[in-house]
Amino acid sequence: MPEPELSASLIFSRTPLAELVGLARRLEDAGYHRVCFGEAWREPVVPMTATLAATSRIGVGSAISQIYPVNPVVTAQQAAQLQELGAGRFTLGLGLGAGFVVERWFGVPYERPLRRTREFIEVVRGVLGSAEHGPFSYEGEIFRVRKYRLPFAEQAVGVPIHLAAIGPRMQELAGELADGIIVGSLHSPRSMEETKRRIDIGADRADRDPNEVALWYYLTCCVSNDSERARALARRSLVYLTQYPHYRCVYAEEGFGALAERIAGLARERAMERAEAAITDEMIDRFCIAGTVAECRDQLRRYAGYPGSPVLHLVPFRIEEDEVVESFRLAAQLAQAPAGARATT
């Protein structure tokens, strides 16, 4: 079996930026294809800039940048400069974020998500092309632009745009407009087939080849020299996901709806030990890879038939960030064939 094309998503709050960059360089040296930065406790532009400046081969992107708290013209400016800095290694990942986060943290009404996403992508593409195609104007229902042109580019700037999409209409929109789709942390062979079908519907709407739409899927990955400790961390990550309504819907689609609602209730009551204890081994085996390096390498084989490529991640929810960093340091070995495993000719 060929080695998987692996990516990693680095989401941290307190870990120093220099340490994040060092971790990205370690993953580059190990053979990872890309490293992504999510917009959670940190905004992603500064970490991406630092990482692009410190690396030379690995792809770097946002997965994801939230579209509610920012303007698409500014996002396009940032994307163009990141692409210049990285000599073509940058990918822009966009997404909605969670409604309660958008309204609580940014004070922006969580309204008209499909319309906002469509217009946001159209404006970003228009601005990126403005240096070659002339001043860009746009009259949308949400966004308006008057005769803007990128002042620091001499030709259109090519930046792949990937869209985080869980719901059916958003996945269809990704098939219609985006260069790629980013699927969240909960999925199965059945759900991935449904995702491909929705991409096809959107691509057909735009008269484009659905195979042009790259597919990345998040995969919770907990690596430790202690297998039981790795599974304990996986439980905490799965509890974290129950806090989000869109993930509870996916849990329900995969047959864990009532259990996920109960776990979410325990989390709201701050009964975290009970919430973690309610996570079943079946849920860990369905949605995570967790264990030693060798065990996780074996578990990755479950995804050999999946479309697209995995983005390994571990959210520091009730997990010390040093332990998350160590998990990624060990996970670097997953991109390398084990000793003695290379075929001879």
Side-chain angles (χ1 to χ4, degrees):
M1 183 186 75
E3 293 302 307
E5 178 182 304
L6 293 179
S7 303
S9 173
L10 306 182
I11 301 177
F12 292 92
S13 60
R14 295 181 301 277
T15 301
L17 187 57
E19 189 169 350
L20 296 185
V21 172
L23 184 55
R25 293 180 65 176
R26 183 187 186 99
L27 294 170
E28 178 180 60
D29 291 342
Y32 272 61
H33 284 252
R34 67 186 65 85
V35 61
C36 303
F37 292 88
E39 184 170 356
W41 298 282
R42 285 181 182 262
E43 65 79 43
V45 173
V46 172
M48 291 189 298
T49 302
T51 301
L52 284 167
T55 57
S56 60
R57 301 182 307 278
I58 196 167
V60 176
S62 56
I64 50 97
S65 295
Q66 298 182 60
I67 67 171
Y68 273 95
V70 295
N71 181 277
V73 175
V74 175
T75 297
Q77 292 173 337
Q78 293 167 338
Q81 293 175 95
L82 288 165
Q83 195 64 296
E84 177 185 359
L85 179 63
R89 292 185 286 130
F90 175 67
T91 299
L92 176 63
L94 300 173
L96 298 171
F100 69 91
V101 172
V102 168
E103 296 187 348
R104 181 187 306 164
W105 286 9
F106 305 118
V108 180
Y110 192 83
E111 298 173 343
R112 307 185 69 189
L114 281 169
R115 169 51 56 180
R116 177 175 285 266
T117 302
R118 176 182 292 278
E119 292 191 11
F120 200 100
I121 292 174
E122 290 172 348
V123 171
V124 169
R125 288 202 192 282
V127 170
L128 291 173
S130 64
E132 183 173 326
H133 305 301
F136 172 70
S137 295
Y138 187 86
E139 187 70 29
E141 297 177 20
I142 297 173
F143 297 111
R144 294 171 178 79
V145 182
R146 292 288 182 272
K147 297 183 179 179
Y148 181 84
R149 184 169 185 163
L150 275 180
F152 51 83
E154 296 181 354
Q155 58 187 14
V157 182
V159 176
I161 298 176
H162 288 219
L163 182 61
I166 294 176
R169 290 190 295 172
M170 193 63 74
Q171 291 186 345
E172 290 174 16
L173 186 65
E176 179 183 351
L177 293 182
D179 298 293
I181 183 172
I182 305 169
V183 177
S185 302
L186 302 177
H187 39 69
S188 66
R190 180 206 60 78
S191 70
M192 293 298 281
E193 284 300 316
E194 182 63 15
T195 295
K196 287 289 291 180
R197 187 183 72 82
R198 292 164 180 168
I199 292 171
D200 290 349
I201 290 171
D204 185 66
R205 186 184 300 155
D207 195 25
R208 62 185 299 216
D209 183 353
N211 293 320
E212 295 175 357
V213 183
L215 198 159
W216 303 348
Y217 56 92
Y218 264 56
L219 179 59
T220 297
C221 173
C222 311
V223 191
S224 173
N225 292 322
D226 181 341
S227 181
E228 288 306 309
R229 179 60 179 168
R231 292 181 72 83
L233 300 186
R235 283 187 168 83
R236 294 180 182 183
S237 290
L238 293 180
V239 169
Y240 172 79
L241 296 176
T242 66
Q243 298 177 102
Y244 294 88
H246 52 279
Y247 279 127
R248 290 201 298 275
C249 290
V250 180
Y251 272 127
E253 290 171 359
E254 294 300 316
F256 300 97
L259 181 55
E261 291 292 343
R262 181 162 69 87
I263 293 168
L266 291 169
R268 286 192 295 270
E269 296 168 5
R270 301 291 189 267
M272 294 302 182
E273 288 76 14
R274 292 171 59 198
E276 291 167 22
I279 297 290
T280 66
D281 287 338
E282 182 185 0
M283 294 172 77
I284 296 173
D285 294 338
R286 174 80 71 89
F287 299 123
C288 307
I289 61 173
T292 64
V293 171
E295 289 168 340
C296 287
R297 184 177 282 120
D298 285 341
Q299 292 164 26
L300 270 174
R301 295 194 177 102
R302 297 199 299 257
Y303 301 90
Y306 261 39
S309 58
V311 180
L312 306 183
H313 81 119
L314 180 58
V315 176
F317 175 71
R318 287 175 49 80
I319 303 171
E320 291 297 325
E321 292 197 7
D322 287 350
E323 199 161 16
V324 179
V325 170
E326 180 60 20
S327 176
F328 275 112
R329 286 175 177 160
L330 291 169
Q333 299 175 54
L334 297 176
Q336 304 164 339
R342 296 186 184 278
T344 57
T345 58

